Amino acid sequence: ILITDSLTPNGHKKGIANGEEVFLKNGVFIRKKDGVIAGSSLTMAQGLKNLITYGLNPKDAFLCACENPAKLVNAPEGIFKKGKKISFNIFDKNFNLVN
């Protein structure tokens, strides 16, 4: 199962996370008040791309990001089956998220 501890201001250089000011440094958010790491800026899309880059086949990587977490928390709406409504993201051939 693919997870991330990405914080709310992801996509920005600074912001508020868990009620504290944070800023982005070297791919992680740092608390302004004491310089302690508050969380990452890793998105699910980048995590998926990382799994594939590290050698996991794309089918299994997508299962790690989508269906496996849905099964873990017993969320049938997250499982892709004929006749079900779904939401989805589109990726290019290099597994970059297309906006």
Side-chain angles (χ1 to χ4, degrees), residues 17 40 58 65:
S40 84

Side-chain angles (χ1 to χ4, degrees), residues 18-73:
N18 302 319
E20 300 182 293
E21 288 185 72
V22 295
F23 63 93
L24 188 62
K25 181 179 180 182
N26 299 325
V28 297
F29 283 103
I30 306 294
R31 291 192 315 210
K32 183 178 179 181
K33 72 177 183 180
D34 58 12
V36 172
I37 293 174
S40 84
S41 63
L42 178 70
T43 63
M44 289 296 287
Q46 185 60 52
L48 176 76
K49 189 174 181 177
N50 289 350
L51 288 178
I52 295 166
T53 299
Y54 300 149
L56 194 63
N57 73 61
K59 178 184 175 191
D60 289 339
F62 277 93
L63 287 173
C64 288
C66 302
E67 188 167 328
N68 293 348
K71 286 179 178 178
L72 178 69
V73 297

Side-chain angles (χ1 to χ4, degrees), residues 15 38 65 84:
K84 295 188 70 112

Side-chain angles (χ1 to χ4, degrees), residues 73-85:
V73 297
N74 198 24
E77 66 276 5
I79 298 171
F80 188 73
K81 288 187 178 177
K82 184 177 179 178
K84 295 188 70 112
K85 289 184 178 184

